Amino acid sequence: MSLVIGLTAGVFGGLVGLGGGVLMIPMMVGIMKLGQHQAHGTSLVALVFTGLVGASTYAYHGRIDVTAALILAAAAFWPARMGAQCCRLLPELDLRRYFGLLQIVMAVLLLLKPYIAPAAFPMASWIKVAILLATGAATGFISGLMGIGGGAIMIAAMVLLVGYGQHIAQGSSLLAMVPAGAIGAFTHWRHGHVETSLIRGLIAGIVLGGVIGASVAQFLPDT
């Protein structure tokens, strides 16, 4: 079952530039009966591979802004560790409620984004960097706390606020989530929140699904 969960999350993540945690966590909790904390930590380990595989595919097609990805990743690194630390302190029920609320927010964001006009006015480079830094920091904390890559937030900010194309934003997001996901996963692992028995199946599914999803995305128009 972990292979199926990884495959599903990998295809979805590679297709829309997300880590796949928004799918993996509900499936691990609902089907595999993991505790919420364990699901978050295990998801972070797996999404590192979603980012690596998906970003590699986007990079092959020349659809990554490495500079933007590095800025996002640098800003997200320590906040991701802080988020993972805060996750440990939250009761199980509260963590489930916050994750459910985040799911709703991200769903609305993904549905509305195609209908919101992206930034089209000239913008100074320092403003773009400031937006990326702020986005990275916020996303990093949410990633560590909620066990997700935060791609929906990063992509929305890059497309709507900075003016990146959809494909570039997705590829850059996948690359940026790797370092933050890694430090968040390590922190969760130290607290015993990683179910190691599921990792092999999740990674195998994610590697295959990530390549499929990211490859299909290259043939879809931005809209």
Side-chain angles (χ1 to χ4, degrees), residues 9-221:
V11 171
F12 179 73
L15 183 65
V16 298
L18 306 183
V22 292
L23 285 180
M24 279 189 288
I25 293 173
M27 294 175 76
M28 284 190 286
V29 172
I31 299 174
M32 307 295 290
K33 304 305 179 184
L34 258 64
Q36 195 71 26
H37 293 85
Q38 281 69 31
H40 287 208
T42 307
S43 169
L44 277 175
V45 175
L47 71 79
V48 171
F49 292 88
T50 310
L52 287 171
V53 173
S56 298
T57 305
Y58 278 84
Y60 176 79
H61 293 277
R63 286 174 160 171
I64 281 186
D65 186 320
V66 176
T67 301
L70 290 176
I71 293 172
L72 287 166
F77 194 76
W78 286 113
R81 184 175 182 272
M82 294 169 57
Q85 295 278 18
C86 290
C87 179
R88 178 174 64 95
L89 303 176
L90 285 175
E92 181 97 0
L93 182 58
D94 288 346
L95 192 57
R96 288 193 181 193
R97 287 172 175 169
Y98 294 145
F99 184 77
L101 178 61
L102 178 67
Q103 292 278 69
I104 294 171
V105 171
M106 292 181 68
V108 171
L109 186 62
L110 286 170
L111 289 171
L112 291 181
K113 187 161 58 66
Y115 304 100
I116 303 174
F121 52 88
M123 186 182 299
S125 297
W126 71 267
I127 296 179
K128 293 182 179 181
V129 171
I131 293 173
L132 292 175
L133 286 172
T135 301
T139 303
F141 183 81
I142 293 172
S143 173
L145 179 65
M146 294 297 174
I148 64 172
I153 300 170
M154 286 191 282
I155 293 168
M158 294 178 74
V159 172
L160 301 178
L161 301 180
V162 185
Y164 280 95
Q166 184 71 22
H167 290 91
I168 297 292
Q170 291 187 185
S172 304
S173 165
L174 284 166
L175 180 59
M177 70 178 61
V178 173
I183 187 63
F186 177 72
T187 305
H188 277 281
W189 175 76
R190 286 183 58 195
H191 296 304
H193 293 162
V194 174
E195 184 57 57
T196 55
S197 63
L198 301 181
I199 294 298
R200 183 178 299 179
L202 287 173
I203 292 175
I206 276 173
V207 169
L208 176 59
V211 171
I212 294 172
S215 298
V216 171
Q218 308 309 314
F219 298 97
L220 297 177

